Amino acid sequence: MKIAGEQILSAPRQSVWELFNDPNRLSRLIPGCEKLNVLGPDQYEGTINVGIASVKGVYDGKLKLEDKRPPEHYKLLIDAKGKQGFVRGSGTLDLEARDGSSTIVKYAGDLQVGGPLMQVGQRMIEGASKMMLGQFFAAADAELQAAAVGQVARQGILVNFWRYLVRLVRSIFARA
Amino acid sequence: MFPASFEYHRVSSVKDALALLSQFGDEAKILAGGHSLLPMMKLRLAQPAHLVDIGAVHELAQIQEQGGRILIGGLATHHSVETSSIVKAKLPILAECAALIGDIQVRNRGTIGGSLAHADPAADYPAAALALEAEMTLENPGGKRKVKAADFFLDLLTTAVQAGEILTQVSFAALGAGTGGVYLKHRHPASGFATVGVAAVVTLKGTNFDKVRVGITGLGAKAFRASSVEKALAGKASDAIAAAASHAADGVDATSDTYASGEFRAELARVYTRRALEQAVARVKA
């Protein structure tokens, strides 16, 4: 499955880069992330509890960053497994300064998904990924805006889902 | 293909079901027809610790007409909607939509409330509920609240139904004179789900559109109203349909999978929107 897209975050590129390299802050932004530990330089292991409606599952995985070019690019390798299937693949993240105070985040990835998850969820996996990415970026934007004024944003699945809906509604009106 | 173990509770009233939901919270799921929940449980994608079976709450399966509205209980099966004389007479588009769901086994067991509350991105009913401006009744321990279809579908598998609530009734305004509706779908050959499904409901004043409502399912993460199509037709005659239908997929992040690419789905949405609108107009004129 291929995923690609872009999002605008309201912070300068350097701040976005720092956020995307800080496992402690990232772990609070990733929907359902229960832990994200540092294994070595640019290597992490973590646990995500994915829950969309009644479909729930715990996935353990490893994450590796490669080809780092601060503050604009890295490659991401992911290998995660849960009782209901596995997700493996790689992706790239590119940060482009939009202006002094906002950044365009471009992401692209190719994921292999297998196991029971694929049997019944094939139709849903892309939608679920998009939904989680949407929640992640909404949370990241809140985190960056709060950090800019020296605060820590409140994070949590419900708060982030709410932010995500607000962004969704705004984007719908922006189109109209 | 065995589900994880769970406690089974069979209730005989909505009140008892709500009590169990508030007792077990996140661990409990409502079981209606079981045609979405049970397959997920067999693959252990869903592992609720408690199933609350509302199958014996017979009043939830009723279909009745009251003051110009058609009230369909959440437990009404697709087959009973498809064959109901009230629905066939007053909301033929909904009977046709029900008849196109899955296969006969699914229609015999699956329920309208279950389908809407599950909010599968390719389910058929959501498109019709949006185009018919249905109103969902949600019951919770504090009472009842009503949610319009336009505010009901939030995202993939996510609706306005809160934890501890049950979708007990779906209410539709009967189609009046000068109004016609059609539901068309491109059927996924294996699952029977809608690759894309379009419900069009039009009201004509003379030869021009007075009101147009288009609901589309299958294209993105959730069913939606194609408001750009509706706006493009306001006050126009039916020769404006082709141009308006070209906006059917505007602004939607179309789903791609191994069967249909996003581009193909978007094209299906435009073509089926045009056909559904043309057929709906033909129905009003007939």
Side-chain angles (χ1 to χ4, degrees), chain A residues 56 84 120 123 126 164 175, chain B residues 44-45 120 155 251 256:
Chain A
K56 291 183 184 125
Q84 300 130 345
V120 81
R123 297 175 306 110
E126 189 186 315
Y164 163 64
R175 275 183 211 130
Chain B
R44 304 205 172 188
L45 290 175
D120 187 294
D155 205 325
S256 284

Side-chain angles (χ1 to χ4, degrees), chain A:
Chain A
M1 175 184 64
K2 288 187 169 37
I3 299 177
E6 58 177 66
Q7 287 276 340
I8 292 170
L9 293 179
S10 36
R13 182 161 76 168
Q14 185 62 34
S15 318
V16 176
W17 175 260
E18 283 164 17
L19 174 65
F20 281 8
N21 281 278
D22 183 341
N24 288 327
R25 290 164 79 196
L26 281 181
S27 67
R28 292 190 294 118
L29 307 182
I30 299 168
C33 183
E34 290 185 341
K35 61 169 193 189
L36 191 62
N37 299 331
V38 181
L39 282 182
D42 294 333
Q43 291 194 47
Y44 308 98
E45 61 161 13
T47 304
I48 288 186
N49 195 336
V50 182
I52 295 175
S54 55
V55 181
K56 291 183 184 125
V58 178
Y59 294 83
D60 292 308
K62 283 183 182 158
L63 208 64
K64 208 171 144 186
L65 306 185
E66 283 183 354
D67 302 342
K68 264 194 179 180
R69 289 200 310 274
E72 55 175 37
H73 173 88
Y74 64 62
K75 189 178 171 191
L76 193 71
L77 301 169
I78 182 169
D79 187 352
K81 229 171 28 194
K83 278 198 182 119
Q84 300 130 345
F86 65 82
V87 181
R88 268 197 291 268
S90 64
T92 53
L93 187 81
D94 287 279
L95 307 182
E96 232 171 68
R98 186 165 171 252
D99 50 49
S101 60
S102 65
T103 307
I104 303 173
V105 183
K106 291 186 175 171
Y107 56 90
D110 196 353
L111 297 174
Q112 285 95 51
V113 184
L117 183 64
M118 200 60 196
Q119 276 181 34
V120 81
Q122 200 258 113
R123 297 175 306 110
M124 313 264 192
I125 286 169
E126 189 186 315
S129 325
K130 283 177 184 167
M131 187 169 165
M132 286 179 67
L133 276 167
Q135 291 179 28
F136 168 76
F137 280 111
D141 211 30
E143 167 81 16
L144 287 163
Q145 285 180 24
V149 291
Q151 289 174 350
V152 176
R154 275 182 60 211
Q155 303 290 356
I157 287 189
L158 281 179
V159 178
N160 288 337
F161 185 65
W162 177 247
R163 280 191 189 115
Y164 163 64
L165 287 180
V166 168
R167 268 175 78 114
L168 203 71
V169 169
R170 272 195 210 127
S171 70
I172 291 166
F173 281 109
R175 275 183 211 130

Side-chain angles (χ1 to χ4, degrees), chain B residues 23 45 72 83 96 138 236 245 252 283:
Chain B
Q23 185 183 343
L45 290 175
I72 302 183
T83 52
E96 289 161 13
L138 307 179
K236 301 268 175 60
V252 179
R283 277 206 179 166

